[in-house]
Amino acid sequence: MARLIDVSHQIVAGMTTYPGLPGPVIDDHLSFEDSHENYAPGTEFEIRRISMVGNTGTYLDTPSHRYRDGSDLADLPLEKVAALPGRVIDAPGRAIGPEAFAGVDLAGRAVLLRTGWDRYWRTETYGSPDHPYLTAEGAKALVDAGATLVGIDSVNIDDTSEASGGARPGHSILLAAGIPVVEHLCLLNQLPEEGFQFFAVPVKVRGMGTMPVRAFALVPSP
């Protein structure tokens, strides 16, 4: 037996995921009432629609998010986002460097950076530039270690403060290596350090580089 642990945020109409990006709009394409003219009495359907940017809720970045010639969601192999052996790395400080991964086998794994920043979700603090992030050296260490996917429970895997000068080395280094990035994870405190499988599968859309995912872990029961 195993437990399924959801580590993704809900998407709610109007919510802010990343400061400055528009919130999703969710409304009716076809309401139950309007469907009555198309179906037999007592039969009704509802079709809803959503308008949102790809960077909404808990989402996955592919190389085309950063690079014009990078692969997109339609090119993403399932082997990079499903049934991956997971490894949680506790990262209580602000800057996550290579020392966080020293002596840990990360080859072929989904590496999930557990900072605890998700506790501020849907507050002004969550989008603050003081959030935890992965350093360039940390990103290089993950590439060298053979990580398959990297996730974080923070607003961005990169430093977004003015001191960064707009550089995004975490995205640049990981996506150049073909390593998908999952941002805005949550509830990583419910996962063990290892011994679980991780899933973060987006919709297979050609021409999109980012997309929300239902991220979850399959954890063996004790």
Side-chain angles (χ1 to χ4, degrees):
M1 298 294 293
R3 295 176 293 136
L4 291 170
I5 299 179
D6 193 334
V7 291
S8 55
H9 290 290
Q10 292 184 44
I11 292 177
V12 180
M15 63 181 264
T16 296
T17 297
Y18 188 89
L21 294 181
V25 177
I26 304 172
D27 57 15
D28 283 333
H29 169 70
L30 179 71
S31 69
F32 283 123
E33 291 74 16
D34 290 341
S35 77
H36 293 169
E37 62 183 64
N38 299 322
Y39 302 102
T43 302
E44 60 181 12
F45 292 92
E46 179 184 63
I47 300 174
R48 307 220 78 196
R49 61 188 168 196
I50 182 168
S51 175
M52 65 181 180
V53 296
N55 296 43
T56 298
T58 302
Y59 57 80
L60 179 138
D61 297 338
T62 62
S64 71
H65 176 51
R66 171 64 180 81
Y67 298 104
R68 296 189 184 199
D69 60 350
S71 57
D72 65 12
L73 293 166
D75 299 317
L76 186 64
L78 283 174
E79 290 79 9
K80 289 197 172 187
V81 292
L84 295 173
R87 183 62 161 87
V88 172
I89 299 293
D90 280 310
R94 181 164 180 262
I96 306 167
E99 64 279 357
F101 317 118
V104 183
D105 180 11
L106 302 178
R109 294 176 181 262
V111 181
L112 310 181
L113 306 179
R114 182 164 58 192
T115 73
W117 199 253
D118 59 315
R119 66 188 181 275
Y120 299 121
W121 176 249
R122 302 291 302 274
T123 71
E124 289 187 8
T125 300
Y126 187 76
S128 163
D130 296 328
H131 67 83
Y133 66 92
L134 181 67
T135 66
E137 294 75 16
K140 291 175 184 175
L142 288 170
V143 172
D144 292 342
T148 297
L149 175 149
V150 178
I152 191 169
D153 58 359
S154 180
V155 67
N156 200 301
I157 203 165
D158 274 303
D159 182 8
T160 61
S161 68
E162 290 186 7
S164 72
R168 296 293 185 265
H171 282 91
S172 300
I173 293 167
L174 294 174
L175 295 177
I179 299 173
V181 174
V182 180
E183 293 171 306
H184 309 280
L185 290 165
C186 63
L187 302 178
L188 296 184
N189 61 307
Q190 296 187 14
L191 302 184
E193 283 192 349
E194 55 186 340
F196 63 92
Q197 290 185 318
F198 181 73
F199 300 75
V201 182
V203 180
K204 191 176 182 180
V205 183
R206 176 63 71 196
M208 290 283 289
T210 63
M211 183 62 64
V213 294
R214 185 72 177 266
F216 64 92
L218 184 64
V219 181
S221 296

